[in-house]
Amino acid sequence: MTPSRRAVLAAMAGGALAGCAGPQSTVNRGASVTGSPSAPAAIATGRGTPGSSPSATAPSASRAVTRADIVARYGHAVPHTWGFDAPAVVHALPTTGRVIALTFDACGGPGGSGYDRALIDFLRRRDIPATLFINSRWIDANPAIFRRLAAEPLFEIANHGTRHRPLSVTGRSAYGIPGTRSAAEVYDEISGNQTKLTRLLGTPPRFFRSGTAYCDDVAARIVTALGERFVSFSVNGDGGATFTPEQVRTTVAAAPGGSIVICHMNHPRGGTARGITAAVPQLLATGHSFTRLSDAVH
């Protein structure tokens, strides 16, 4: 990874964290908010990555992968990456066309269990599809709202973890949030909310994003082993719900085709709703369209 790429990714992480750490956070408000997709097409389309065979990570077709399975397989694995660039992490859509995936995190917990009704109502009015990464704690705080969102075909529900932890097998933290400390804790972070979502939705979620979107390469392989795809982002649309409406508008409106945009739906007093409301018509006017992740990433 080049130094400039590393700097951009670190800046994006600060923004991604802020929307989940509470409104008092001001991490990297002025940071660079776009990053060029680093995953090649083979990664984005699930055709495999160097050094990782499907048989090494895919769950068994005959039974569910258990915590003990994960510990046995990955308990002594040593990670070699930390950040956004682990193999098999999806950063962008497998297209250069004018298609954009809007994704919105609902992080839950102290300072992060609000509901941006204005944002969601705008998406409904304009018939804009989106993928919603929802944390277990947010579901517990907003059960009726969750049920309505889950029933709407316009939206796709994805897994944002059980306790909103960065995904590490060694306890690495990201911007003040402690990460999971072992393969067993990685399993817990993924499967706790996976089980909840499967029960509520009737089918398991296809996509996972950790708290802060940080992971190491071993943890990313565990996500795959549990049947989900780890999704990061290429455009940080709202700086973790710290951006002004104008910052959100200019950032999202500049997203190139194929972008996965990360914003937040859990801070109604932030600038996200007004910024998205302004940016989406601009993108539509220039020939862009929007997609749920499941309709573009296979």
Side-chain angles (χ1 to χ4, degrees):
M1 185 189 301
T2 65
S4 60
R5 170 69 174 160
R6 188 178 296 109
V8 169
L9 291 176
M12 289 195 298
L17 164 64
C20 307
Q24 74 278 7
S25 176
T26 57
V27 179
N28 281 347
R29 286 181 182 269
S32 173
V33 293
T34 61
S36 58
S38 63
I43 293 176
T45 58
R47 292 195 292 270
T49 60
S52 174
S53 65
S55 61
T57 57
S60 168
S62 61
R63 65 177 179 84
V65 177
T66 67
R67 194 176 196 261
D69 292 333
I70 293 300
V71 172
R73 191 182 305 172
Y74 300 103
H76 298 289
V78 177
H80 300 287
T81 68
W82 176 242
F84 304 108
D85 280 343
V89 171
V90 179
H91 298 87
L93 303 180
T95 179
T96 57
R98 295 185 178 184
V99 181
I100 292 172
L102 295 178
T103 70
F104 297 95
D105 288 1
C107 307
S113 291
Y115 172 54
D116 197 337
R117 185 181 305 276
L119 169 68
I120 298 300
D121 284 348
F122 168 77
L123 299 175
R124 288 174 176 138
R125 288 196 306 272
R126 296 301 299 261
D127 199 31
I128 303 297
T131 300
L132 312 180
F133 283 85
I134 299 184
N135 181 265
S136 182
R137 301 172 305 173
W138 194 92
I139 297 172
D140 293 340
N142 301 278
I145 294 170
F146 174 83
R147 286 194 297 272
R148 181 179 177 188
L149 292 170
E152 297 183 64
L154 190 65
F155 303 126
E156 173 180 30
I157 306 299
N159 186 353
H160 196 36
T162 305
R163 293 190 294 162
H164 194 264
R165 304 281 294 278
L167 218 60
S168 167
V169 295
T170 60
R172 297 191 68 165
S173 63
Y175 293 87
I177 297 182
T180 49
R181 298 170 295 181
S182 64
E185 288 195 5
V186 170
Y187 174 90
D188 294 340
E189 179 64 14
I190 301 163
S191 69
N193 200 38
Q194 182 185 64
T195 299
K196 181 192 290 283
L197 289 173
T198 301
R199 174 174 55 82
L200 293 171
L201 301 173
T203 57
R206 287 189 55 195
F207 303 105
F208 177 88
R209 178 183 287 151
S210 63
T212 75
Y214 262 83
C215 71
D216 64 39
D217 53 309
V218 176
R221 282 153 51 200
I222 295 173
V223 173
T224 303
L226 292 177
E228 300 185 22
R229 301 286 302 279
F230 194 113
V231 176
S232 186
F233 56 93
S234 52
V235 175
N236 186 344
D238 67 357
T242 67
F243 283 0
T244 66
E246 179 59 17
Q247 287 175 312
V248 176
R249 183 194 68 78
T250 56
T251 302
V252 176
S259 294
I260 296 176
V261 178
I262 184 175
C263 289
H264 290 77
M265 55 171 282
N266 59 318
H267 283 288
R269 293 188 296 275
T272 303
R274 285 176 291 167
I276 290 292
T277 299
V280 164
Q282 287 184 247
L283 287 165
L284 291 171
T286 54
H288 290 81
S289 61
F290 299 90
T291 183
R292 304 182 311 167
L293 286 174
S294 62
D295 297 321
V297 177
H298 304 292

